[in-house]
Amino acid sequence: MLLLVGRAGPFGARLSEIVEQCDLPKPTVRRMLLALVRAGLLDQDPETRRYYIGPEIYVLGTLASARFGIHPISLRSLVRLSQETGDTAFLSVPRGVYSICVHREEGPYPIRVHALHAGDRHPLGVGAGSLALLSALQDHEVEEVLAANAEVLAEKYPNHSPSVLRTLVQETRAKGYALNPGLILQNSWGVGVPIRGVDGRPIGALSIAAIESRLSEARQREIASLLKKEATWIEMRLSEVGTTDKPSRKKTR
């Protein structure tokens, strides 16, 4: 419910909208929302009755930022990517068998794609950044992810069957970058590369999304080069931070 309200952005979310999306009885949803309001995690406008993210979320986000340091470190790269390409740049992170978009940075090009927003969650392999994360896993891990997501892929992502994703993983590894050729939203293409931790495992992904006409094969390679450059920069910064704060990180685990 917190995610649903957060994704509604500055306009807030109505009770009816939340009920429709979470598939729970209306009295149950209302009771849970009021509990979240009492805890300060949500706010409710007394006139419109819409729900908004509350002040305690800001506090929790501040506390979490120390652990998930990839977000603040990546912001400079996301801005550079969006300005240099003119298109929208994204940072995604893996959470279990899913990928979550944690930041969206708009570029100056007037025609934008809206297939992915901060807070959106897709099965690993769905979308350019998500596909980059999946492709960076070992083969047996890829199969475990596909098996775990088989039901949701069949129900909600008809263009992303396990066989299609296996082919996309192979193509990604061969090219050196992930490509989403409009499989989620028609005419919305994307290019992505992984960000790896010091152990070589994928901890995040950078991606660029644009309309199909702006992602010719030559420009895909150009953007992939920019993404890899920024991914390497982020990996170096994370390595430096990990070295300097290693004792404190051990205490928080």
Side-chain angles (χ1 to χ4, degrees):
M1 289 188 189
L2 287 172
L3 286 173
L4 292 175
V5 174
R7 290 168 184 166
F11 301 103
R14 300 179 187 271
L15 174 61
S16 58
E17 296 170 342
I18 300 172
V19 170
E20 182 180 352
Q21 294 180 73
C22 70
D23 196 29
L24 289 172
K26 186 174 182 179
T28 301
V29 174
R30 181 186 289 110
R31 185 165 59 252
M32 295 175 71
L33 289 172
L34 291 177
L36 291 169
V37 170
R38 288 194 297 271
L41 298 171
L42 291 181
D43 272 342
Q44 186 179 30
D45 188 292
E47 295 183 2
T48 66
R49 311 306 296 170
R50 288 177 176 269
Y51 291 91
Y52 300 84
I53 288 295
E56 287 299 322
I57 291 294
Y58 175 80
V59 176
L60 291 174
T62 301
L63 294 173
S65 66
R67 180 181 179 192
F68 302 110
I70 190 173
H71 187 190
I73 287 176
S74 300
L75 290 178
R76 189 179 300 178
S77 289
L78 291 164
V79 171
R80 282 196 293 255
L81 286 167
S82 64
Q83 292 301 309
E84 190 161 354
T85 65
D87 296 304
T88 308
F90 302 90
L91 170 67
S92 300
V93 295
R95 289 294 178 267
V97 295
Y98 281 80
S99 168
I100 299 176
C101 174
V102 295
H103 192 89
R104 172 188 175 109
E105 189 70 29
E106 301 282 4
Y109 191 72
I111 302 178
R112 299 170 181 172
V113 299
H114 300 283
L116 190 63
H117 298 83
D120 283 354
R121 185 180 77 153
H122 291 299
L124 282 173
V126 178
S130 184
L131 177 59
L133 290 170
L134 180 66
S135 303
L137 298 176
Q138 297 180 19
D139 288 343
H140 75 274
E141 293 175 309
V142 171
E143 291 303 319
E144 290 172 0
V145 169
L146 296 181
N149 287 333
E151 185 174 342
V152 69
L153 289 172
E155 180 181 352
K156 298 183 177 180
Y157 303 89
N159 293 330
H160 294 80
S161 67
S163 61
V164 168
L165 287 176
R166 289 188 188 97
T167 299
L168 290 174
V169 165
Q170 293 174 358
E171 292 177 353
T172 297
R173 292 171 176 174
K175 290 180 178 179
Y177 63 87
L179 175 67
N180 167 34
L183 294 178
I184 302 176
L185 187 65
Q186 189 175 8
N187 198 36
S188 174
W189 285 40
V191 176
V193 303
I195 301 169
R196 299 179 185 271
V198 292
D199 58 357
R201 295 190 55 80
I203 58 173
L206 293 175
S207 58
I208 290 289
I211 57 176
E212 180 180 357
S213 60
R214 287 178 60 78
L215 280 181
S216 64
E217 189 170 344
R219 192 160 189 266
Q220 290 173 26
R221 293 193 295 269
E222 177 185 342
I223 287 178
S225 178
L226 294 174
L227 289 169
K228 289 177 182 178
K229 177 181 177 182
E230 295 298 341
T232 298
W233 185 87
I234 294 170
E235 290 166 355
M236 292 176 61
R237 291 288 295 115
L238 287 171
S239 177
E240 292 169 1
V241 172
T243 300
T244 57
D245 73 352
K246 191 173 183 180
S248 62
R249 289 198 309 165
K250 285 185 177 179
K251 293 178 182 178
T252 59
R253 288 180 179 176

